[in-house]
């Protein structure tokens, strides 16, 4: 996970912007009519039998049930098969925090769902702003980018990640579950949460992984110190952009960790 300068300021600014957007969309008439018009345009002009099934399947792939399974399998593979406990922990935090941050915004904004008569499969879950499906996709795309940001595939990962976010956002409007501002707000909310967790990761979590109750012993068992050493060696070739204190050394020595 990279270190992001001014992570707290950026996180607060993005979160405040998203909440302001949500409040305006939900509780004024400045955005709501245009949101509904765009939803209806998409649904009227593009809906057809095979595309209905496709969009519902895409939405399901980013649903809470599918999301939990994807995250569990992904992080389990990184930890138990690849024996990369730092990478597994960072990946889990980016996805879980970026995804679940939407629940705070949903409670604050309290925007009702679009009219049920426009939905292919009526939603009975939480409020409309922001979209948890889109936030999950954003968080996954960012987590994958963090894994590949120093490889020759990073541009491909960025392009595919953007396309995945756009596709899931379109599917949520297509099936009638969200307004356009809900999907855009998800990008802001997830981005805010990811900025925040990168700061917490470098300031506190990464230096103290060994000390975490129960989890610390598990991470140590599956190669924590070995991965730390590998990351130090790899970091030496990248200009040392981020440092964290090494636990138990009085803060005088620093470890360079870029994951």
């Amino acid at each position: 996970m990279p270190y992001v300068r001014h992570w707290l300021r950026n996180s607060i600014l993005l979160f405040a912007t998203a909440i302001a957007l949500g409040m305006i969309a939900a509780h004024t008439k400045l955005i709501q009519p245009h949101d509904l018009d765009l939803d209806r345009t998409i649904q009227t002009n593009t809906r057809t039998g095979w595309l209905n099934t496709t969009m519902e399947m895409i939405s399901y792939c980013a649903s809470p049930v599918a999301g939990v399974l994807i995250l569990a399998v992904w992080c389990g593979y990184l930890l138990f098969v690849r024996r990369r406990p730092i990478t597994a922990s960072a990946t889990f935090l980016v996805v879980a925090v970026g995804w679940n941050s939407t629940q705070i915004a949903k409670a604050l904004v309290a925007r009702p769902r679009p009219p049920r008569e426009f939905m292919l499969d009526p939603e009975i879950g939480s409020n409309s702003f922001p979209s948890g499906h889109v936030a999950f996709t954003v968080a996954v795309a960012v987590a994958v980018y963090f894994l590949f940001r120093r490889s020759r595939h990073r541009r491909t990962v960025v392009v595919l990640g953007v396309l995945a976010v756009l596709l899931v956002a379109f599917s949520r409007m297509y099936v009638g579950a969200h307004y356009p501002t809900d999907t855009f707000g998800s990008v802001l909310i997830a981005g805010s949460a990811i900025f925040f967790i990168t700061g917490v990761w470098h300031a506190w979590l990464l230096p103290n992984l060994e000390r975490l109750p129960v989890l610390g012993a598990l991470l140590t068992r599956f190669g924590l110190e070995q991965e730390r050493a590998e990351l130090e060696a790899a970091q030496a070739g990248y200009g040392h952009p981020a440092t964290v204190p090494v636990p138990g050394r009085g803060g005088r020595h620093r470890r360079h960790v870029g994951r």
Side-chain angles (χ1 to χ4, degrees), residues 20 39 70 72 90 121 123 163 181 191 206 215 233 242:
D39 263 1
I70 290 169
D121 185 14
E123 295 277 341
L163 291 176
T181 47
L206 180 56
L215 186 60

Side-chain angles (χ1 to χ4, degrees), residues 61-80:
C61 288
S63 68
V65 173
V68 168
L69 290 174
I70 290 169
L71 186 57
V73 171
W74 187 7
C75 293
Y77 170 76
L78 290 172
L79 178 61
F80 300 115

